Amino acid sequence: AQSVTQPDIHITVSEGASLELRCNYSYGATPYLFWYVQSPGQGLQLLLKYFSGDTLVQGIKGFEAEFKRSQSSFNLRKPSVHWSDAAEYFCAVGDGGYQKVTFGTGTKLQVIP
Amino acid sequence: DVKVTQSSRYLVKRTGEKVFLECVQDMDHENMFWYRQDPGLGLRLIYFSYDVKMKEKGDIPEGYSVSREKKERFSLILESASTNQTSMYLCASSHRGEQYFGPGTRLTVT
């Protein structure tokens, strides 16, 4: 069965600092990987996705993520965090049939001035 | 833009009541999903459907059922609501793996 681990429940960064959110997955074949963001009181929005090809994927709002098969990881990064990035971030892995997606437990990001 | 709508943003029900949560998508997506979101547990899949009248159990189907009579509509049913079903319920539709979420229904069972 597929699974996702987000080891950091809560992260605090200063505005302008760099950010890396960790995600490790377990899946028997080539995974389909996603990062979603949920701002306070808002629905979930897709930040980026990896299906195949280039292991460094670019997303919206200046985010990127790198797929590392050897480490079973798909970490999310941003070079300079803005106060509006404060939100909860979810990593997810999907099966090859584009159907079932399993989400991690989320990482809540706090941005301090 | 894809739009996924849910019938209520907030709902309060009593223990033992039958509860219907409705979800409608306007992009002709074949796959639709129901999740519940609880603090510290992330999103957990209750049921999903990949076609009209087709449904598959997710990770936590106990106490829930679903109905999909039309492609655009996917309903979640709590046959007899219990307090441990107090949660945020999220509906999604998907296309090529990307999930599009509704705003959620915060259900409180008292």
Side-chain angles (χ1 to χ4, degrees):
Chain A
Q2 60 206 48
S3 66
V4 176
T5 301
Q6 293 181 249
D8 303 306
I9 297 172
H10 193 276
I11 283 183
T12 300
V13 299
S14 298
E15 191 168 15
S18 63
L19 171 70
E20 182 168 25
L21 302 182
R22 296 183 292 165
C23 172
N24 292 97
Y25 68 89
S26 174
Y27 186 67
T30 300
Y32 296 88
L33 296 161
F34 309 87
W35 275 100
Y36 286 84
V37 60
Q38 186 178 36
S39 299
Q42 303 295 313
L44 276 86
Q45 181 183 23
L46 181 71
L47 279 177
L48 48 80
K49 60 189 176 188
Y50 170 79
F51 284 175
S52 64
D54 193 347
T55 56
L56 184 64
V57 294
Q58 303 296 322
I60 62 171
K61 305 185 180 187
F63 285 91
E64 67 178 26
E66 186 170 13
F67 169 57
K68 292 185 177 180
R69 185 187 298 275
S70 62
Q71 299 177 20
S72 298
S73 69
F74 189 57
N75 294 348
L76 182 71
R77 300 194 295 247
K78 187 171 185 178
S80 177
V81 169
H82 188 262
W83 64 266
S84 61
D85 293 324
E88 191 159 20
Y89 292 80
F90 293 92
C91 182
V93 60
D95 67 20
Y98 304 125
Q99 293 179 4
K100 186 176 174 182
V101 175
T102 300
F103 286 81
T105 51
T107 297
K108 195 163 285 188
L109 174 66
Q110 182 182 8
V111 180
I112 56 176
Chain B
D1 274 356
V2 175
K3 191 151 188 180
V4 179
T5 57
Q6 295 184 230
S7 50
S8 306
R9 291 299 301 271
Y10 300 93
L11 208 53
V12 180
K13 295 292 182 180
R14 292 193 181 276
T15 301
E17 277 193 84
K18 191 168 186 175
V19 181
F20 293 87
L21 302 182
E22 304 284 340
C23 175
V24 178
Q25 51 98 359
D26 66 356
M27 283 301 291
D28 203 37
H29 289 167
E30 294 187 348
N31 301 329
M32 295 188 73
F33 306 80
W34 275 106
Y35 297 89
R36 62 177 283 175
Q37 182 179 13
D38 300 288
L41 297 178
L43 279 72
R44 293 179 291 166
L45 181 63
I46 304 172
Y47 268 97
F48 68 100
S49 168
Y50 51 89
D51 201 352
V52 174
K53 296 191 186 295
M54 306 301 288
K55 60 186 179 185
E56 293 283 343
K57 292 180 180 179
D59 300 316
I60 52 163
E62 296 78 20
Y64 303 94
S65 62
V66 291
S67 172
R68 191 157 180 211
E69 297 296 319
K70 293 185 178 181
K71 192 173 187 178
E72 67 271 18
R73 189 179 297 269
F74 191 35
S75 303
L76 180 68
I77 303 154
L78 286 66
E79 296 289 342
S80 177
S82 63
T83 54
N84 63 12
Q85 293 178 310
T86 291
S87 186
M88 171 69 84
Y89 290 88
L90 296 172
C91 175
S93 67
S94 78
H95 177 66
R96 290 186 56 80
E98 180 175 345
Q99 302 217 335
Y100 299 84
F101 285 86
T105 296
R106 185 166 293 283
L107 173 67
T108 301
V109 183
T110 61

